[in-house]
Amino acid sequence: MEDKKLLIIGAGGHGRVVAETAKTLGYEVAFLDDNNEEAIGKITDMGELKDEYPYAFVGIGNNSFRADMLKCLEQIGYQIPVLIHPMAYVSKTATIGKGTLIEPMAIVNTHSQIGEGTIVSVGAIVDHDTTIGVCAHVNAGAIVKAGGSIEPYEKLEAGEIRFGYENARVKK
């Protein structure tokens, strides 16, 4: 049986969301965090724990910092999973980059492309044929309409709508 031990970088709010999703997928989780008593060590300890934890995931909401940590984990040689909550819908034709979290009740529709290290928060809708850049964040209840896009490191705030195809139409 595969050893599903996951080291989560960051034990704050987003890290706990990552942990909850990972546990529903059968991972045993532990945290590294510089300021949390529940953590088994500091972020700088990640290199020392590679043999014990074959998987790692960045549970930090800051997009740029998440990208930096993702690169560190890759350099160390961790396996970085995609975590999709069982209560989310993700089309079989969507492409999801490693280190991405798809939270409960989120929708990722047909032929969408989600970059590495991205967060698709609870209840967010990413409609068909969209492109979400690396380490972006589609926050709770936000909508990326068909054909829309989010730039790398961009955050679409809760409840915001990013338009797609219909912006290209000429209105009479």
Side-chain angles (χ1 to χ4, degrees):
M1 179 166 177
E2 183 181 9
D3 189 13
K4 290 186 77 172
K5 292 178 78 173
L6 178 72
L7 191 61
I8 300 171
I9 309 304
H14 182 59
R16 292 190 312 270
V17 172
V18 168
E20 190 171 283
T21 297
K23 287 176 185 177
T24 67
L25 299 172
Y27 287 93
E28 176 185 332
V29 303
F31 293 102
L32 288 182
D33 192 299
D34 294 349
N35 300 302
N36 190 300
E37 293 178 7
E38 294 178 34
I40 63 169
K42 305 281 186 203
I43 292 174
T44 55
D45 298 331
M46 68 176 88
E48 299 167 21
L49 295 166
K50 166 73 176 63
D51 291 337
E52 186 177 350
Y53 292 88
Y55 296 92
F57 200 93
V58 184
I60 294 173
N62 179 293
N63 293 344
S64 295
F65 190 73
R66 191 169 60 255
D68 292 344
M69 290 295 98
L70 190 59
K71 286 176 190 169
C72 288
L73 293 173
E74 288 175 320
Q75 289 172 349
I76 292 168
Y78 280 100
Q79 295 177 61
I80 302 169
V82 171
L83 298 177
I84 300 171
H85 195 281
M87 291 182 65
Y89 169 77
V90 176
S91 169
K92 292 187 185 308
T93 62
T95 304
I96 313 293
K98 65 184 168 190
T100 291
L101 175 68
I102 312 290
E103 295 182 16
M105 308 310 285
I107 296 170
V108 178
N109 219 341
T110 306
H111 294 290
S112 290
Q113 297 178 8
I114 311 294
E116 293 181 3
T118 291
I119 302 168
V120 180
S121 287
V122 61
I125 298 172
V126 177
D127 205 356
H128 65 85
D129 301 301
T130 60
T131 302
I132 310 298
V134 298
C135 294
H137 184 174
V138 182
N139 209 342
I143 300 171
V144 183
K145 294 181 80 172
S149 64
I150 303 293
E151 294 296 317
Y153 307 102
E154 183 181 356
K155 183 176 185 180
L156 189 64
E157 290 294 346
E160 279 192 282
I161 298 173
R162 176 62 48 90
F163 293 93
Y165 295 138
E166 67 274 8
N167 283 357
R169 294 187 192 139
V170 176
K171 297 188 180 183
K172 296 182 179 185

